[in-house]
Amino acid sequence: MATAKKIISDPLSDNNPITIQVLGICSALAVTVQMETAFVMACALTAVLTSSNVIISLLRNHIPSRIRMIVEVSVIASLVVIVDQVLRAYLFELSRQLSIFVGLIITNCIVMGRAEAFAIQNPPGKSFMDGLGNSLGYSVILLLVASGREILGSGTWYGLNVLPQNYLGNGLAVLAPGAFLILGVIIWVQRTVTNNFKDD
Amino acid sequence: MQKADRQLITFALTICVTCSVLLSAIAAGLKERQERQVELDRKMNVLIAFGVDTRDAETGRRISAERVEQYFSEQIREVVLDAESGREIAPEDVDLVAIREKRQLPLFKWEEDGEVQKYAFPTSGQGLWSTIYGFLALERDLATIAGITFFRHGETPGLGGEVDRSWFQEQFVGKRLLDDDGAPVRFQVVKGGVENRYPDGNEHAVDGISGATITGDGVARFVTEDFRRYNKFFETIRGS
């Protein structure tokens, strides 16, 4: 059995949901123009993933296997709606920038994937840590991509100027292809470091 | 078998009821706060149309709700006009349905030292996929655009969605909605750019957005139509 430490540290690097499993790419590309939106998105996913893992783990011995997936989706969808409503009430401007991507957490393969692969057969404590580990793995990559895009694209980091004032900004980094390039570089570096690639 | 089925249905029902009760409670609990945010956003956009800098120069954050309210109590006066007669109507006759159907027209006046310097009104209409909502502000001559903002829409991000970007909105500033004879013009959002179609320039047109011709046509149409609705009232001011 995996130890608690390994449950959390594994998804950060060796089994990262984005760079190794290549899940959750849609939102990783969409909300990473600025640090602020990426950060809120990372928090939203962390909230949803950890609580969905815990809830599904608590229910795991009662869920009839025939409707297992529907129950999982109901739990995840409810959590996502709650997060979306809270953002609308408290962080209105950001929730507008994130637009549909908060709602799309429902279809984020990481959430459903962890429910199916882990929470359904593990106790709540471990499921919580698994959720946290995977959320952090997702968040780290999201924030890295956002750092690259915001610095290259606008010369700022979290809204603070980090490059000289006369830096014009790279349009490519702001658009989707910039996200693909940066994410590609991160995946390349990470797989080389962790030695996780197919050699044929 | 039958017992298993019954358990399954009970479980499914329990999940459904729990989730829906929880969601309803949360939605109801947050409703008031969300509505306040929408209202604040609306007011913020009136300020943007009037050309107020709504971002703090140092932090880049939006100005506070109190500051917005302060602008509204000190410098902005809101009246509602009757579309038919072009006259201001009493506050007790204001009807939200009539406003939505554009039979009653809200108007914001920007006052400095007791004199109206600018006017702004809501403008909205169909783009390609959605209704686009915005505010249009006019200078004192009631013909020159002082500012425009589009803040709510469901157009494609990167294409029609560019209407909410500053490069598109800034083009409107200084353009005119009346021709030299004082008649309302048909405002244009030009596909391919104003310069290509009108080498000498055109003060009644702005550049369109590549890949969003229908959104642009929609914007041009509803800006023109909404201006004509208010023009009845504007004529009485110009005449006096």
Side-chain angles (χ1 to χ4, degrees):
Chain A
M1 276 311 257
T3 63
K5 203 176 150 201
K6 195 156 165 46
I7 294 179
I8 291 197
S9 64
D10 216 33
L12 279 177
S13 161
D14 288 357
N15 204 6
N16 188 286
I18 298 187
T19 55
I20 304 294
Q21 300 172 19
V22 198
L23 298 176
I25 296 296
C26 171
S27 53
L29 299 179
V31 301
T32 49
V33 177
Q34 312 157 10
M35 284 297 285
E36 202 174 19
T37 48
F39 180 71
V40 173
M41 184 68 184
C43 293
L45 188 104
T46 307
V48 171
L49 182 50
T50 47
S51 23
S52 89
N53 259 14
V54 170
I55 292 170
I56 286 163
S57 168
L58 285 171
L59 295 172
R60 73 188 186 283
N61 294 326
H62 308 284
I63 303 178
S65 60
R66 272 191 289 168
I67 55 165
R68 190 187 71 237
M69 285 202 167
I70 302 175
V71 172
E72 287 166 9
V73 173
S74 312
V75 170
I76 295 166
S78 304
L79 290 167
V80 169
V81 175
I82 293 171
V83 168
D84 192 35
Q85 293 286 324
V86 170
L87 285 181
R88 268 179 216 200
Y90 291 91
L91 294 170
F92 185 78
E93 205 196 349
L94 274 169
S95 85
R96 174 164 295 160
Q97 283 173 28
L98 287 168
S99 63
I100 54 169
F101 293 102
V102 171
L104 282 178
I105 293 178
I106 296 172
T107 60
N108 189 318
C109 307
I110 300 173
V111 186
M112 186 79 183
R114 291 332 290 172
E116 269 289 285
F118 199 93
I120 203 86
Q121 49 198 3
N122 283 288
K126 276 189 180 170
S127 300
F128 173 79
M129 282 186 281
D130 177 75
L132 197 61
N134 277 281
S135 308
L136 291 176
Y138 173 85
S139 308
V140 165
I141 302 299
L142 218 62
L143 295 178
L144 278 178
V145 176
S147 300
R149 289 181 79 183
E150 193 178 331
I151 292 171
L152 288 177
S154 337
T156 59
W157 190 82
Y158 224 107
L160 306 165
N161 285 312
V162 289
L163 293 180
Q165 284 289 346
N166 55 7
Y167 179 71
L168 278 179
N170 181 325
L172 183 68
V174 175
L175 299 171
F180 271 110
L181 291 173
I182 292 174
L183 190 59
V185 170
I186 292 175
I187 290 180
W188 171 39
V189 169
Q190 212 228 344
R191 289 194 176 192
T192 311
V193 170
T194 59
N195 225 356
N196 182 331
F197 51 87
K198 285 201 179 83
D199 203 359
D200 45 23
Chain B
M1 185 60 191
Q2 267 216 324
K3 188 165 174 255
D5 280 350
R6 215 174 305 135
Q7 275 179 347
L8 188 145
I9 290 170
T10 319
F11 189 86
L13 270 178
T14 318
I15 289 284
C16 293
V17 172
T18 317
C19 287
S20 28
V21 168
L22 190 69
L23 291 187
S24 318
I26 285 172
L30 292 174
K31 192 163 181 241
E32 199 189 320
R33 225 195 133 85
Q34 291 175 347
E35 281 170 355
R36 272 216 307 277
Q37 296 269 21
V38 172
E39 176 63 16
L40 178 65
D41 188 57
R42 197 180 72 95
K43 288 185 167 172
M44 194 81 86
N45 274 284
V46 175
L47 293 181
I48 295 172
F50 274 131
V52 177
D53 196 354
T54 56
R55 289 197 182 269
D56 190 294
E58 263 173 45
T59 60
R61 305 258 156 216
R62 281 194 160 193
I63 54 176
S64 68
E66 291 77 41
R67 190 79 189 89
V68 173
E69 292 301 334
Q70 198 187 345
Y71 273 119
F72 266 78
S73 60
E74 285 173 7
Q75 304 207 268
I76 295 175
R77 213 158 61 78
E78 190 175 354
V79 295
V80 178
L81 311 171
D82 181 58
E84 196 82 35
S85 63
R87 285 203 197 92
E88 286 183 25
I89 54 179
E92 58 268 23
D93 293 330
V94 173
D95 177 11
L96 288 177
V97 177
I99 289 180
R100 199 173 314 140
E101 290 171 356
K102 298 188 177 176
R103 286 184 283 116
Q104 291 186 357
L105 308 169
L107 182 72
F108 301 89
K109 298 176 179 175
W110 179 269
E111 292 179 347
E112 281 170 27
D113 306 321
E115 270 196 61
V116 183
Q117 298 293 338
K118 290 176 189 173
Y119 297 83
F121 57 84
T123 179
S124 63
Q126 268 295 304
L128 172 60
W129 307 114
S130 64
T131 305
I132 301 170
Y133 296 87
F135 289 99
L136 174 68
L138 294 172
E139 297 288 356
R140 238 180 134 174
D141 64 358
L142 290 164
T144 310
I145 298 175
I148 198 165
T149 159
F150 301 108
F151 64 101
R152 203 163 87 207
H153 64 81
E155 302 298 292
T156 321
L159 298 174
E162 295 282 297
V163 291
D164 63 16
R165 302 289 283 271
S166 53
W167 75 263
F168 182 70
Q169 299 178 3
E170 277 161 10
Q171 301 183 78
F172 285 77
V173 177
K175 300 286 177 178
R176 289 171 54 80
L177 291 165
L178 290 181
D179 63 17
D180 295 339
D181 304 323
V185 295
R186 199 168 64 79
F187 198 77
Q188 292 179 69
V189 175
V190 182
K191 183 183 180 179
V194 177
E195 244 173 59
N196 289 326
R197 199 180 302 172
Y198 305 101
D200 301 329
N202 185 331
E203 58 179 3
H204 313 300
V206 294
D207 293 347
I209 302 161
S210 315
T213 307
I214 297 177
T215 306
D217 289 348
V219 168
R221 193 178 55 244
F222 71 70
V223 164
T224 303
E225 281 171 7
D226 282 334
F227 176 71
R228 283 185 191 179
R229 286 195 176 90
Y230 283 85
N231 198 35
K232 196 170 282 176
F233 170 74
F234 292 159
E235 270 169 357
T236 62
I237 302 182
R238 283 190 211 102
S240 65

